[in-house]
Amino acid sequence: MNTQPPLLFALDLTGTFAFGLNGALTALRATRLDVVGVVTLGMLTALGGGVIRDVLIDALPPATFLYWPYFALAIGGALIAFVLNRWLGRLTMPLTVLDAIGLSVFAVIGASKAVAFGLGLAPAALLGVITAVGGGTIRDALVGQVPTVLRSELYAIPALVAAVLTVLAIRFDAYGLPVALGAAAVCFVIRMLGVRFRLNAPRPPFASP
């Protein structure tokens, strides 16, 4: 049975759908795939990070396999991407916003769950980031491209900020729905600022552009 607050659970499901949709679209842009390949990569994007987290903290079976809405929304998002990919490909900003929502919520939920299973603050924050970016990294590796987390405008950094805020709030016994939403909002704002102004994490001095 799900124990998250209803609003956070709804955002979690929204993020799952968004990652399934965006993951499938990214896969379609990168290579030619049939419907099985598109749905598989969409599901890996939406669910992969959470599965990795749950396996690492020994929360078995993973939450993905306990609540059918996760599977349904991941598959639904991937199928929509497969059918409407030409039209959806023109909706860059709405899809980026949905992806940022997923990134933000997954980072918070991943970090809070890791703490609940007894991890320290630093490992819990790391697992929050893995929850947020793990699925997309698996997808990118399978289609043979450099993972988004390593090259996109401020992707892992906002997830890390949200995860750190979450574990600190738990450490000082201040965690609750408002704090969770606040941490997710901080991640969302940083991510969207990175997209809007094409901001990137620092690169090595004198590196090629």
Side-chain angles (χ1 to χ4, degrees), residues 17-37:
F17 174 79
F19 271 23
L21 181 70
N22 212 18
L25 284 173
T26 301
L28 282 166
R29 294 190 191 107
T31 185
R32 283 172 166 261
L33 295 172
D34 61 14
V35 64
V36 175

Side-chain angles (χ1 to χ4, degrees), residues 18-19 21-22 25 29 88 91-104 152-153 155 188 191-196:
F19 271 23
L21 181 70
N22 212 18
L25 284 173
R29 294 190 191 107
L88 290 173
L91 300 178
T92 303
M93 186 52 67
L95 292 176
T96 300
V97 169
L98 284 175
D99 183 77
I101 291 173
L103 180 79
S104 305
S152 185
E153 303 93 346
Y155 203 76
F188 179 83
R191 169 62 181 146
M192 295 309 298
L193 286 174
V195 172
R196 174 64 179 83

Side-chain angles (χ1 to χ4, degrees), residues 118-167:
L119 268 68
L121 301 186
L126 177 60
L127 278 183
V129 177
I130 290 174
T131 304
V133 307
T137 301
I138 295 171
R139 174 206 63 215
D140 291 344
L142 288 175
V143 299
Q145 65 182 24
V146 178
T148 303
V149 65
L150 301 179
R151 58 183 169 80
S152 185
E153 303 93 346
L154 297 185
Y155 203 76
I157 289 176
L160 178 61
V161 170
V164 169
L165 290 174
T166 299
V167 297

Side-chain angles (χ1 to χ4, degrees), residues 12-209:
D12 191 15
L13 295 179
T14 300
T16 301
F17 174 79
F19 271 23
L21 181 70
N22 212 18
L25 284 173
T26 301
L28 282 166
R29 294 190 191 107
T31 185
R32 283 172 166 261
L33 295 172
D34 61 14
V35 64
V36 175
V38 171
V39 171
T40 298
L41 289 177
M43 290 180 65
L44 283 172
T45 306
L47 309 174
V51 171
I52 294 171
R53 176 204 63 218
D54 288 350
V55 169
L56 290 175
I57 64 176
D58 200 26
L60 303 174
T64 294
F65 301 111
L66 296 176
Y67 307 118
W68 65 266
Y70 289 114
F71 266 112
L73 288 168
I75 293 172
L79 286 174
I80 289 172
F82 181 80
V83 174
L84 302 177
N85 68 89
R86 289 180 180 272
W87 181 70
L88 290 173
R90 295 192 287 266
L91 300 178
T92 303
M93 186 52 67
L95 292 176
T96 300
V97 169
L98 284 175
D99 183 77
I101 291 173
L103 180 79
S104 305
V105 176
F106 283 8
V108 172
I109 292 174
S112 62
K113 185 169 184 177
V115 173
F117 274 75
L119 268 68
L121 301 186
L126 177 60
L127 278 183
V129 177
I130 290 174
T131 304
V133 307
T137 301
I138 295 171
R139 174 206 63 215
D140 291 344
L142 288 175
V143 299
Q145 65 182 24
V146 178
T148 303
V149 65
L150 301 179
R151 58 183 169 80
S152 185
E153 303 93 346
L154 297 185
Y155 203 76
I157 289 176
L160 178 61
V161 170
V164 169
L165 290 174
T166 299
V167 297
L168 287 176
I170 295 172
R171 171 67 177 80
F172 292 104
D173 199 25
Y175 185 72
L177 180 59
V179 172
L181 294 177
V186 170
C187 176
F188 179 83
V189 170
I190 296 173
R191 169 62 181 146
M192 295 309 298
L193 286 174
V195 172
R196 174 64 179 83
F197 296 105
R198 297 185 180 277
L199 303 175
N200 293 286
R203 296 182 178 180
F206 312 113
S208 300

